[in-house]
Amino acid sequence: MTTARRTRRRTATVAAAFMAAVGSLLVTAAPARAEVKSTCGTYICVATAYQGRDYVQDITVTTRDGLAGTLRAFVGDYRGSRANVSRWRFVVNQEIREYPRLAVCGGLDRGGRVVENHCVMIP
């Protein structure tokens, strides 16, 4: 009788582990058709991965001089937390409806002042 319980318990454990692995693959699966668009301003470069014209996956903001600053990202009602580095990827994963075009923006602050805000326009 204890052997049957152990077998059932092992089977249940293996099944649960398998389902967890499949679930994590579904969550982290690559998007079907992600496009990337980027542009640079005087002090920062902003790149975004998006699908269609409404779904923004992420925003990457990079300083052109390689020096750290407070980087920001914003699009629609999304306001990314600030990061005091020279490069940062803000994960958005939201559908944002703005017409006629969607502006995906990044910003750089240094010394408590806004140095630059720069936007990528998604058609």
Side-chain angles (χ1 to χ4, degrees):
M1 186 149 151
T2 56
T3 306
R5 277 192 207 151
R6 284 186 195 152
T7 303
R8 275 190 253 136
R9 190 178 306 157
R10 282 186 195 150
T11 304
T13 303
V14 169
F18 178 73
M19 293 306 290
V22 168
S24 69
L25 286 175
L26 291 174
V27 170
T28 60
R33 284 185 39 217
E35 297 180 54
V36 176
K37 191 169 183 182
S38 65
T39 184
C40 292
T42 306
Y43 299 99
I44 61 173
C45 292
V46 179
T48 184
Y50 63 96
Q51 294 179 31
R53 59 186 295 177
D54 295 334
Y55 189 81
V56 177
Q57 287 179 252
D58 62 55
I59 305 167
T60 303
V61 184
T62 308
T63 61
R64 292 186 73 174
D65 57 10
L67 300 174
T70 302
L71 299 178
R72 297 174 284 109
F74 49 97
V75 58
D77 61 351
Y78 172 82
R79 301 285 182 263
S81 59
R82 296 175 178 210
N84 193 22
V85 292
S86 64
R87 177 185 178 97
W88 193 256
R89 179 176 171 250
F90 298 89
V91 178
V92 180
N93 285 331
Q94 286 185 14
E95 185 172 339
I96 300 166
R97 296 182 187 268
E98 297 285 331
Y99 293 105
R101 295 175 71 185
L102 182 63
V104 178
C105 303
L108 171 64
D109 300 346
R110 285 191 177 144
R113 295 183 179 174
V114 174
V115 175
E116 181 178 22
N117 287 328
H118 194 74
C119 298
V120 175
M121 300 301 289
I122 298 176

